[in-house]
Amino acid sequence: MPARIIQYAQELGFIKVGFARPTRPLYLDAFRSWLFNRKHADMTWLERHLEIRADPSLLLPGCRTIITLAYRYPSEKPCAPDGFTAARYSRPQQEDYHQDLKRLCRDLAAFVGGFHPGKTRICVDSAPMMERSFAVSSAIGFIGKNNMLIIPGVGSFFYLAEILTTASLDFSPVEPIENQCGSCEACIESCPTGALERPFLLNASKCLSYKTIEDKRPVDLEDAKRMGDCFWGCDRCQEVCPFNSGGDSRRIVLPPVHELFEMDQEAFDKRFGKTALARGGLEKLRTNISAVLGQSH
């Protein structure tokens, strides 16, 4: 059965599939320590439902299998004609990945249900679940020093999704892939704000991805100097990773930034309302661009 699931998942576009039991996740203690030491900035939602993170079967009563899925996102950086960029995951020319992946997962869940009738639950950044831990448990990849999941031969430019099912699929336990970073610390050395304080430790309050997306406050002068031409998120620790390819390749899919200042809310919603850029909203996007512009003139 897993072979058929893997084949169908690949037909849907998933690049990796793994299977695990809903046991206590790897790295749970490290996650709790990270929260205790206040390294998660003001993302207080991460503190909630720790009992569910410890026992993912609470997300779906009777859960017996977790199917973990990886779906590639572009290695090319979204770019505007005037050179401004956004983080790769944002795919501003496409629908928000949450909805995209949920549709694909529903299709795969229906396929699984055809062989094993039962209940399923789909998770795409929408539940208190330690998804990278289960990706490691199912040997999809390993956690790099930048805290990203890395798939050997693929890199880290991908999304994760999970299907929890009450079906007890027949699969053999696998050994997690050992960390392959070796002595490389390119990600730590390249982090523009020092948010990677040491291997495997991210201080979110320093991270440009947090500051330009989640943080409601305007980016300050010092951080604006470190943003370069990227006004939404930051890929620096992934760009320098030897497991990733593509370097600084770009694709023009964004409008010139002056158009973003000329848009009203209705126009923004029409063009970007269903994309990942909608998360922070038009005003946050504008203040980020203003910060970058303030350093380039």
Side-chain angles (χ1 to χ4, degrees):
M1 181 60 192
R4 282 185 287 184
I5 294 174
I6 292 170
Q7 180 181 354
Y8 190 62
Q10 290 173 340
E11 291 173 7
L12 291 172
F14 293 103
I15 57 172
K16 274 286 187 177
V17 185
F19 303 88
R21 300 300 179 199
T23 55
R24 190 178 192 273
L26 297 172
Y27 314 123
L28 178 64
D29 290 341
F31 178 72
R32 286 174 167 166
S33 175
W34 185 70
L35 294 175
F36 179 80
N37 288 298
R38 311 304 300 172
K39 299 295 184 180
H40 59 304
D42 65 358
M43 294 182 286
T44 54
W45 65 87
L46 293 172
E47 302 168 16
R48 302 173 198 152
H49 307 299
L50 288 178
E51 73 285 359
I52 298 177
R53 292 188 189 275
D55 181 5
S57 66
L58 296 175
L59 288 167
L60 178 68
C63 176
R64 301 176 76 181
T65 306
I66 297 174
I67 305 172
T68 297
L69 303 148
Y71 191 87
R72 194 189 298 270
Y73 60 74
S75 60
E76 297 175 310
K77 203 165 189 179
C79 182
D82 43 13
F84 292 90
T85 63
R88 290 163 175 79
Y89 90 92
S90 64
R91 304 188 316 173
Q93 76 279 23
Q94 293 176 262
E95 186 177 25
D96 188 319
Y97 70 91
H98 294 87
Q99 302 308 317
D100 207 7
L101 290 189
K102 283 178 182 177
R103 280 196 299 269
L104 293 173
C105 286
R106 282 195 291 266
D107 197 344
L108 183 58
F111 178 82
V112 174
F115 297 93
H116 293 279
K119 296 180 179 179
T120 59
R121 177 165 179 173
I122 293 165
C123 301
V124 184
D125 294 344
S126 57
M129 184 173 179
M130 298 189 64
E131 57 181 10
R132 295 180 194 181
S133 289
F134 285 99
V136 172
S137 295
S138 58
I140 280 183
F142 65 90
I143 303 296
K145 292 180 182 178
N146 60 359
N147 294 290
M148 302 299 293
L149 184 76
I150 297 172
I151 300 175
V154 173
S156 60
F157 293 136
F158 57 85
Y159 309 110
L160 285 174
E162 298 78 38
I163 299 174
L164 282 63
T165 174
T166 56
S168 181
L169 303 181
D170 184 18
F171 62 90
S172 300
V174 291
E175 288 296 318
I177 300 173
E178 291 187 9
N179 177 277
Q180 297 179 18
C181 293
S183 61
C184 178
E185 293 191 348
C187 55
I188 297 169
E189 294 164 0
S190 69
C191 180
T193 60
L196 288 168
E197 296 183 333
R198 64 173 186 266
F200 313 109
L201 180 63
L202 171 73
N203 186 337
S205 66
K206 299 179 182 179
C207 178
L208 287 179
S209 283
Y210 166 76
K211 288 175 176 287
T212 59
I213 300 172
E214 301 294 342
D215 195 348
K216 303 306 179 187
R217 296 166 296 184
V219 176
D220 65 30
L221 180 64
E222 289 304 309
D223 287 326
K225 294 177 181 177
R226 299 172 177 129
M227 288 168 65
D229 56 26
C230 187
F231 62 82
W232 191 260
C234 180
D235 286 333
R236 213 79 59 88
C237 68
Q238 296 190 82
E239 289 169 346
V240 300
C241 179
F243 286 93
N244 284 321
S245 59
D248 198 33
S249 57
R250 302 181 177 199
R251 183 182 178 192
I252 296 178
V253 293
L254 288 163
V257 294
H258 71 82
E259 290 187 14
L260 294 169
F261 284 98
E262 295 167 0
M263 286 181 181
D264 59 18
Q265 189 63 50
E266 183 179 356
F268 177 80
D269 290 343
K270 185 176 181 180
R271 181 156 186 178
F272 297 111
K274 293 184 178 181
T275 73
L277 293 185
R279 178 172 178 82
L282 178 58
E283 287 310 309
K284 179 64 174 175
L285 188 148
R286 283 174 171 166
T287 59
N288 290 347
I289 295 172
S290 295
V292 175
L293 284 171
Q295 298 310 308
S296 60
H297 291 87

